[in-house]
């Protein structure tokens, strides 16, 4: 367990055990609004699911931060052992191994995340699609071999033919995939789901003021101290060492960011990130980062991935299906644009250096 410190300007800086540098967890760091007395807020971090996680406890809960962190760590380990595509013994891997042969019992975390995947698959018209597993591996992610050169169009087409969330079945207490070679990868939703489960655990323990963070998927409750609010920095996907602004998140609100700057392969000098467009079989081009604010971490996580695929125009349409969700798009182009959807103005405060680059898209629908 690592303890964070309250750094400059009251930011809570999560120190990653791996590199010792700032661990921004996919573009987000937690800042305590208006600075907070040093050590007033406690934070404990640990590694899980190939990334860093942490629990931050506001002043009222600070002395129980260690207890909460251990509770969260063991729950996240439990979810990791059920849903890791890196672990051949996980429930998810067992379901994948039966693809095209049969279904497996739909229980616990597997049942919940298969259900979420079907909902988000349908609501994003297949842009969020956990059955992209064969393509994710083919492009060298989720434990797949890093390609030296561009995968052949034949290979991409073969794998793309295995993709489609409607091939994922959840019925009669069983779940599975209908075709041989199909593979579900929960990398785009399981962390948000884990944050929601852990948040519920801590609420049941009586915690009121805390943040659960898993690889940048965060959910905030209460406040760091009376009259303050949790603030989450949004990293600049075009210059990841800096931020473009921060989010002020109310009780129970979650945030997730999907970006092209953490997990990517470089082939012939070009960067191919880990978010795959299920329609083409290729890594999404033209988008650098999408941040989503939502009333649950699973929704924020799945939507940030789905909207990253769809882009601002189509993404806007999908967002109208969700209440209390808002998004911020940063296209991958030299002229920085910060495209914010209706409702984001309630949460997002842009750093003054970028205020001229903010453009509101879409119209308020609810
Ligand atoms: P998001 O932006 O939320 O989604 C991107 C991820 O979702 C991709 O990495 C891919 O897995 C998947 N994806 C790609 N395209 C799509 C799409 N169109 N629709 C839906 N999903 C898509 N990493 C390790 O290095 N080592 C580990 O041991 C490890 N264990 C893990 C165990 C679990 C249970 C999980 C959920 C993940 C694990 N990871 C591991 C991966 C890592 O934690 C993150 O999943 C990865 O960094 C992507 O996180 P993200 O929030 O950036 O992804
Ligand atoms: Mg996601």
């Amino acid at each position: 367990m690592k303890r964070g410190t309250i750094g400059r300007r009251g930011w809570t800086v999560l120190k990653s055990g791996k590199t010792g540098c700032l661990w921004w967890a996919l573009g987000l760091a937690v800042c305590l609004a208006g600075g907070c007395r040093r050590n007033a807020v406690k934070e404990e971090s640990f590694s899980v699911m190939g990334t860093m996680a942490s629990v931050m406890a506001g002043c009222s809960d600070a002395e129980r931060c260690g207890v909460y962190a251990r509770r969260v760590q063991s729950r996240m380990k439990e979810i990791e052992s059920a849903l890791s595509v890196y672990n051949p013994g996980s429930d998810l891997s067992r379901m994948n191994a039966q693809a095209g042969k049969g279904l497996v019992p739909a229980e616990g975390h597997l049942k919940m995340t298969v259900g979420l995947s079907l909902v988000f698959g349908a609501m994003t018209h297949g842009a969020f699609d956990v059955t992209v597993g064969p393509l994710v591996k083919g492009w060298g992610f989720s434990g797949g071999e890093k390609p030296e050169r561009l995968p052949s169009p034949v290979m991409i087409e073969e794998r793309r033919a295995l993709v489609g969330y409607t091939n994922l079945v959840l019925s009669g207490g069983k779940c599975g995939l209908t075709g041989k070679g199909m593979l579900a990868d929960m990398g785009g939703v399981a962390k948000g789901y884990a944050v929601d489960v852990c948040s519920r655990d801590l609420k049941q323990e009586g915690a009121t003021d805390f943040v659960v963070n898993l690889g940048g998927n965060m959910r905030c409750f209460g406040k760091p101290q009376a009259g303050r609010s949790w603030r989450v920095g949004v990293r600049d996907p075009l210059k990841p060492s800096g931020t473009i602004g921060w989010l002020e998140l109310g009780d129970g609100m979650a945030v997730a960011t999907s970006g092209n700057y953490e997990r990517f392969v470089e082939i012939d000098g070009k960067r191919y990130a880990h978010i795959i467009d299920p329609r083409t079989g290729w890594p999404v081009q033209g988008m650098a980062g999408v941040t989503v604010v939502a009333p649950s971490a699973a929704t924020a996580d799945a939507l940030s991935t789905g909207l990253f695929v769809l882009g601002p125009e189509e993404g806007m349409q999908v967002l109208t299906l969700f209440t209390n969700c808002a998004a911020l798009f940063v296209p991958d182009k030299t002229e920085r644009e910060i495209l914010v959807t209706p409702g984001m103005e309630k949460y997002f405060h842009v750093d003054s250096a970028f205020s001229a680059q903010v453009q509101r898209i879409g119209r308020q629908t609810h």
Side-chain angles (χ1 to χ4, degrees):
M1 283 270 186
K2 294 220 170 314
R3 288 180 195 288
T5 55
I6 307 287
R8 58 187 168 74
R9 283 194 300 150
W11 291 83
T12 297
V13 172
L14 304 174
K15 289 249 180 295
S16 111
K18 282 178 292 183
T19 60
C21 66
L22 297 192
W23 175 63
W24 289 72
L26 296 178
L28 300 168
V30 181
C31 151
L32 308 174
C36 193
R37 273 178 297 102
R38 187 170 286 283
N39 298 335
V41 173
K42 285 264 181 315
E43 168 251 333
E44 295 215 6
S45 52
F46 51 88
S47 61
V48 67
M49 299 187 202
T51 185
M52 290 299 289
S54 77
V55 172
M56 230 161 291
C59 307
S60 64
D61 287 324
E63 77 290 348
R64 287 178 55 75
C65 187
V67 172
Y68 294 153
R70 274 183 292 286
R71 183 94 166 73
V72 164
Q73 187 175 15
S74 82
R75 179 72 92 176
M76 285 186 178
K77 286 275 178 217
E78 173 195 291
I79 293 171
E80 178 177 35
S81 62
L83 300 178
S84 174
V85 76
Y86 293 78
N87 164 6
S90 72
D91 297 344
L92 176 69
S93 296
R94 273 203 290 275
M95 183 187 89
N96 286 333
Q98 287 304 312
K101 292 182 229 155
L103 303 179
V104 297
E107 288 154 353
H109 303 304
L110 179 66
K111 177 182 172 189
M112 296 306 289
T113 45
V114 167
L116 286 169
S117 303
L118 289 168
V119 168
F120 291 120
M123 294 184 82
T124 60
H125 317 307
F128 175 83
D129 183 340
V130 295
T131 69
V132 278
L135 288 164
V136 174
K137 277 197 183 291
W139 281 95
F141 305 105
S142 291
E145 194 142 313
K146 294 263 171 265
E148 305 276 310
R149 63 181 73 80
L150 280 178
S152 72
V154 170
M155 184 278 249
I156 293 175
E157 196 31 47
E158 269 168 9
R159 290 180 182 232
R160 211 200 52 71
L162 295 169
V163 172
Y165 72 91
T166 52
N167 300 318
L168 186 58
V169 171
L170 176 60
S171 92
K174 293 208 171 247
C175 60
L177 290 156
T178 53
K180 245 165 105 42
M182 292 180 178
L183 191 142
D185 176 341
M186 296 294 182
V189 68
K191 296 197 300 303
Y193 163 76
V195 167
D196 288 333
V197 171
C198 294
S199 301
R200 199 191 52 219
D201 288 347
L202 294 191
K203 299 286 278 180
Q204 281 168 359
E205 295 235 5
T208 49
D209 302 306
F210 61 92
V211 179
V212 178
N213 173 17
L214 172 53
N217 294 274
M218 293 187 186
R219 196 157 174 200
C220 302
F221 288 86
K223 47 197 173 306
Q225 63 174 18
R228 308 281 188 212
S229 56
W230 296 109
R231 282 186 193 172
V232 179
V234 181
R235 190 154 77 165
D236 179 357
L238 299 176
K239 207 167 135 280
S241 55
T243 59
I244 52 173
W246 43 271
L247 298 161
E248 198 144 12
L249 295 179
D251 194 40
M253 287 307 281
V255 60
T257 286
S258 287
N260 69 353
Y261 46 83
E262 290 231 325
R263 291 204 177 211
F264 56 84
V265 289
E266 213 147 282
I267 302 172
D268 305 335
K270 196 159 182 255
R271 178 187 291 195
Y272 296 92
H274 64 138
I275 300 171
I276 309 293
D277 185 334
R279 301 164 297 191
T280 63
W282 280 71
V284 174
Q285 300 291 314
M287 192 51 68
V290 175
T291 295
V292 169
V293 172
S296 82
T299 304
D301 193 5
L303 277 185
S304 69
T305 311
L307 297 188
F308 192 93
V309 172
L310 289 171
E313 277 64 44
E314 285 187 81
M316 261 308 303
Q317 302 316 319
V318 164
L319 263 185
T320 52
L321 304 173
F322 292 83
T323 37
N324 281 342
C325 290
L328 177 156
F329 297 83
V330 179
D332 189 10
K333 45 182 166 177
T334 29
E335 284 295 298
R336 180 187 286 91
E337 290 172 352
I338 303 172
L339 310 175
V340 294
T341 67
M344 191 44 111
E345 67 284 349
K346 280 187 285 191
Y347 309 107
F348 180 59
H349 304 260
V350 66
D351 286 352
S352 49
F354 300 114
S355 35
Q357 294 158 26
V358 176
Q359 294 169 40
R360 295 196 191 304
I361 56 173
R363 47 180 170 43
Q364 195 78 32
T365 48
H366 37 71

